[in-house]
Amino acid sequence: MPACTTNPHVLAGVIARLNAPDYDRWAAQIRATGGCRQPIHLRGKVEYHDQATGRLLHRYTTRHEPDGILRLPCKTRRASRCPACAEIYRADTYHLIRAGLIGGKGVPESVTGHPTLFVTLTAPSFGTVHARCEKNGRVLPCHARRNAETCPHGHVMSCTAKHRPDDPHLGEPLCPDCYDYTGSVLFNALAPLLWKRFADSLRRRLAKLGGLTLKDLREHLTVSFAKVAEYQRRGVVHFHAVIRLDGPGGPAAPPPPWATTDALTQVVRYAAKAVSATVPAYDDQPERVMRWGGQLDTRPITLDGDLTDQAVAGYIAKYATKAAECVGTLDRRINPLDNLDAFNLREHPKRLIAECLRLGAIGDLADLRLTNWAHMLGFRGHFSTRSRHYSTTLGELRAVREQHVRDQEITTGRLPLFEEDTVLVISEWTYAGKGYSLGDQIIAAAITGTRIPDMAGGAR
Ligand SMILES: [Zn+2]
Ligand SMILES: [Zn+2]
Ligand SMILES: [Zn+2]
């Protein structure tokens, strides 16, 4: 039993909840959140009126619910905040990525015949970092150099360690004072723009290849993609993307014969090299041009080859539930007045955050909003995005699930069954907080079979 249950206040909370007359209803609400760690509290009502007569057919209000609130899952994508909701997000992402590769969920199976690549766009180097390299199943020394230089700060630029996968030094620079922290956070800040320019260049190049104007391209071909951002341990983002060529309007039509996998590979290579984004000059610093790193990986996705649809969908779905936490940064916004030393961070993420705060205060860089995104080490883009025609959407997957829940509610008598178009629905909801009291947290964990998180938390 967790030590916290010896706290008399927590124990009193547990006992009060278990003995409450509406305990069963409370437990049902908790079960319905699917083990959400930080359920959203809503207060309000919904009324169903007959459209023709205005007669009230049914009313639901949270007034009769335990504590006068309805608890709903937080639906975060971030596993660090709520493992249960992030798992739903991961599974949904997996299914929609996979549908874009093999069909299903409204995508025809013929999509398997469309040229499709799995592309990884990397960040350039901002200094040598500790790394774990494997070759044929053997771990190699990190950065062995026989006649290694000594940097101006007295560090020998060599490391012969064979780092373990959980070594906290991985991703950290051999010399922090030589490391280009400025470049690292500016790259993250410009990465979304670089991606946009890459996608634009891809379309322009394809148009050229087909002898078409960019405007005419969409009459012949659609570039569909799904991408996800992944933080490397050193604190810069990479993008992994599924890029697929469809006919006009999306996956239902085949692309023109000239749009082959080889052509797509060529065009991706060209666009990744061609695009750049410029950091404006500031203080005494000149303009700085950012590009993708030299490492570009493009691999065809096949049903039976090295890189299968399942592997790709699993990979993208996994990264869609992560943010920058693997770098050791904070999982929340940072106030520029916060004392960074108080957060108990490792030196590397602390310096990346400090660099965001320093650059964020410079007027010429205000557009990059580095102060707001310091906890993300400068990156302010979306983690996981898909073009309109890629496959189904998370919203549609959720709508199907919610309809299912609604059907269940109707059958268990909680919602009356009405003809949708003859009923006027009026709803009023207000946000009334989130999370659990410590006592509730213990019972909720027992009911849903989830782990009790950091007990210092509680209802906010
Ligand atoms: Zn949740
Ligand atoms: Zn090393
Ligand atoms: Zn140095």
Side-chain angles (χ1 to χ4, degrees), residues 129-131 141-143 158-163 167 169-170 172 174:
V129 297
H130 293 284
C142 162
H143 200 74
S158 169
C159 172
T160 52
K162 294 178 181 175
H163 294 290
D167 188 331
H169 292 293
L170 285 175
E172 296 185 349
L174 268 58

Side-chain angles (χ1 to χ4, degrees), residues 55-383:
R55 192 166 64 91
L56 178 68
L57 299 170
H58 179 75
R59 172 191 282 142
Y60 165 78
T61 156
T62 55
R63 232 178 322 147
H64 311 298
E65 296 285 3
D67 310 320
I69 54 172
L70 184 65
R71 292 169 177 84
L72 294 175
C74 72
K75 294 190 183 173
T76 183
R77 68 170 184 84
R78 296 175 66 163
S80 56
R81 294 190 182 163
C82 176
C85 291
E87 174 52 26
I88 292 173
Y89 187 93
R90 191 200 61 74
D92 282 356
T93 305
Y94 177 88
H95 289 299
L96 73 86
I97 295 294
R98 196 141 181 253
L101 299 173
I102 60 165
K105 317 245 176 243
V107 180
E109 264 174 49
S110 56
V111 78
T112 52
H114 296 197
T116 309
L117 290 182
F118 187 55
V119 175
T120 299
L121 292 159
T122 61
S125 168
F126 297 104
T128 309
V129 297
H130 293 284
R132 178 183 160 90
C133 310
E134 281 180 53
K135 203 174 176 185
N136 305 327
R138 276 188 41 231
V139 183
L140 302 179
C142 162
H143 200 74
R145 295 287 180 279
R146 201 162 296 130
N147 299 309
E149 287 173 43
T150 302
C151 82
H153 313 98
H155 291 102
V156 182
M157 286 292 132
S158 169
C159 172
T160 52
K162 294 178 181 175
H163 294 290
R164 293 157 50 104
D166 58 350
D167 188 331
H169 292 293
L170 285 175
E172 296 185 349
L174 268 58
C175 173
D177 293 321
C178 284
Y179 196 74
D180 182 7
Y181 284 95
T182 312
S184 177
V185 302
L186 288 174
F187 177 84
N188 281 350
L190 289 178
L193 181 62
L194 263 181
W195 168 267
K196 187 186 172 300
R197 292 192 172 159
F198 166 77
D200 289 346
S201 168
L202 206 69
R203 288 190 189 92
R204 268 198 306 276
R205 195 73 187 170
L206 280 164
K208 201 169 167 200
L209 204 69
L212 301 161
T213 64
L214 187 57
K215 203 166 147 270
D216 290 340
L217 182 70
R218 75 168 73 128
E219 312 290 324
H220 300 259
L221 181 128
T222 309
V223 182
S224 299
F225 67 83
K227 83 167 201 304
V228 69
E230 178 208 351
Y231 273 86
Q232 289 209 294
R233 293 242 201 166
R234 59 185 165 129
V236 285
V237 284
H238 276 185
F239 287 129
H240 303 286
V242 173
I243 305 178
R244 189 184 70 212
L245 298 181
D246 296 332
W258 55 265
T260 60
T261 304
D262 281 350
L264 178 59
T265 308
Q266 237 184 63
V267 171
V268 163
R269 288 186 185 285
Y270 172 87
K273 267 214 180 86
V275 296
S276 64
T278 305
V279 183
Y282 62 91
D283 295 350
D284 56 346
Q285 298 293 312
E287 277 188 354
R288 183 166 179 177
V289 177
M290 289 290 172
R291 296 178 183 283
W292 298 114
Q295 270 183 310
L296 168 72
D297 194 29
T298 61
R299 288 195 281 167
I301 303 167
T302 51
L303 295 185
D304 48 7
D306 289 347
L307 192 61
T308 62
D309 54 294
Q310 280 145 308
V312 168
Y315 202 57
I316 290 194
K318 182 175 111 194
Y319 286 116
T321 63
K322 296 211 159 114
E325 58 270 14
C326 65
V327 188
T329 180
L330 293 172
D331 195 13
R332 61 169 182 82
R333 291 238 161 138
I334 294 164
N335 185 313
L337 300 176
D338 283 342
N339 173 13
L340 290 186
D341 291 327
F343 293 132
N344 200 16
L345 298 169
R346 286 183 70 82
E347 191 62 22
H348 187 59
K350 192 163 88 184
R351 284 180 80 150
L352 288 166
I353 291 169
E355 189 61 8
C356 287
L357 298 178
R358 184 183 79 80
L359 296 172
I362 295 171
D364 290 323
L365 301 177
D367 287 350
L368 302 179
R369 298 170 58 212
L370 284 160
T371 305
N372 277 342
W373 299 98
H375 63 304
M376 301 299 264
L377 315 178
F379 178 65
R380 64 183 191 289
H382 292 288
F383 268 81

